[in-house]
Amino acid sequence: MAYELHYWPCIQGRGEFVRLALEEAGADYRDITREDGIDDMVAGLDAPPRPAFAPPYLRDGDLVVGQTAAILHYLGPRLGLVGESEADRIWTHQIQLTIADAVAEVHDTHHPIASSLFYEDQKPEAARRAAAFRDERIPKFLGWLERVLGANHAGPRHLVGDRLSYADLSLFQLVEGLAYAFPQATERALAATPKVVALHRLVAARPRIAAYLASDRRLAFSEDGIFRRYPELDG
C-alpha cells in the first residue's frame, strides 16, 4: 500500500522535508491533497483517538504519524535513510529536530506576533526579529551543521556515518529555503561553512533528487509558505 502524505497542496512548507525523503527513496506514495483536495486532510486532523495537531501527517495503512521529525524518524529505517544502530538513529533524529527549530525561527521572522495576523500587520516586529535571525541565528545553525559534518567519524560527506540520511536531505532543503528567503545573509553564512555547501551540492546532484527538482512536483518557493522573500527583512 502506498504511503499517503497529507499537507497543504500549494506550498512546500514542512511537508517538503518528508517529500524529499520519499522521492529520494523512490517510495510509492500519494500526495493526497494535490490529488484529491484538502477535505480528507482536514477530516484526518479530527480523527480519533490520536489526531495529528497539524499537517503534515503520513498515513501508512492504519498508522498515522504527525510532525515532520516524527514522520522522518518513522520512515528513515523503512526507506533506508538512516543508520542501523540506535545511536545513529537517535543522532539523526536530534539533527532533524534542530533543523525543525531553524524552520520555526524562519517562520517567526515574518510572523513574530501571531500566525493569524498578516505580515503587513506586524512589519516593525518582523524587522527586529529578522535582523537577529539573519545576523545571529543563520550563522549559528549553519555553523553547528558545519561542526557536525566536521566531527563525523566517517568524513564530512554526510551528517551521520558514511551514507545518505534524511537529515542530509533536510539540510539541503533548509539551505534552499534560507537562500530564497535571506539570499544575502545566507551567502555570508555559507562562505564560512564549506562542508554545508558541499553536502547541499551533493544532495542536489543525486539522480532522483535532481529529477524531482526539475519536475512539476517540486513547487516553487512563494510568499505563502514558511520561507518567504521580503527584501526588507534581508537587510
Side-chain angles (χ1 to χ4, degrees):
M1 184 179 297
Y3 295 111
E4 295 183 357
L5 176 62
H6 295 256
Y7 194 65
W8 303 109
C10 299
I11 59 173
Q12 290 184 25
R14 292 176 173 86
E16 194 69 9
F17 293 92
V18 180
R19 198 172 288 113
L20 285 169
L22 293 165
E23 291 283 345
E24 166 60 27
D28 185 14
Y29 80 98
R30 292 186 61 209
D31 217 328
I32 297 296
T33 58
R34 292 190 188 177
E35 298 176 18
D36 302 333
I38 68 171
D39 289 348
D40 285 348
M41 181 189 77
V42 173
L45 295 175
D46 293 326
R50 296 177 177 176
F53 178 74
Y57 65 88
L58 183 87
R59 188 181 300 277
D60 183 14
D62 293 332
L63 181 66
V64 177
V65 186
Q67 293 285 357
T68 302
I71 296 169
L72 292 170
H73 186 60
Y74 173 76
L75 287 175
R78 290 162 176 80
L79 301 182
L81 289 174
V82 72
E84 296 181 359
S85 72
E86 182 180 29
D88 278 356
R89 292 184 184 187
I90 293 298
W91 178 225
T92 307
H93 185 50
Q94 180 179 331
I95 295 170
Q96 185 65 44
L97 289 168
T98 304
I99 291 173
D101 289 343
V103 172
E105 291 196 26
V106 169
H107 171 272
D108 289 349
T109 62
H110 50 77
H111 278 76
I113 302 301
S115 296
S116 58
L117 298 175
F118 292 109
Y119 165 64
E120 289 74 17
D121 297 324
Q122 47 196 320
K123 290 180 72 173
E125 296 86 355
R128 292 186 65 190
R129 185 67 177 261
F133 181 74
R134 67 175 184 260
D135 295 340
E136 302 169 15
R137 304 300 284 172
I138 292 177
K140 185 166 186 175
F141 279 116
L142 294 184
W144 181 80
L145 290 166
E146 182 82 1
R147 294 199 304 276
V148 171
L149 286 165
N152 183 10
H153 66 85
R157 283 176 56 83
H158 299 294
L159 286 164
V160 184
D162 61 357
R163 58 189 288 188
L164 186 84
S165 72
Y166 63 78
D168 296 327
L169 299 170
S170 293
L171 176 149
F172 166 82
Q173 178 65 8
L174 176 65
V175 172
E176 287 283 292
L178 289 174
Y180 173 79
F182 299 94
Q184 297 180 71
T186 302
E187 183 178 10
R188 292 194 296 270
L190 290 175
T193 54
K195 297 179 182 66
V196 169
V197 172
L199 179 52
H200 174 267
R201 290 174 178 167
L202 182 151
V203 170
R206 293 185 67 84
R208 285 176 174 160
I209 295 298
Y212 169 63
L213 296 177
S215 75
D216 58 7
R217 299 189 307 280
R218 171 74 165 187
L219 297 177
F221 289 105
S222 74
E223 279 55 70
D224 293 318
I226 293 173
F227 296 101
R228 303 187 184 189
R229 179 176 292 173
Y230 296 120
E232 62 272 22
L233 298 187
D234 195 23

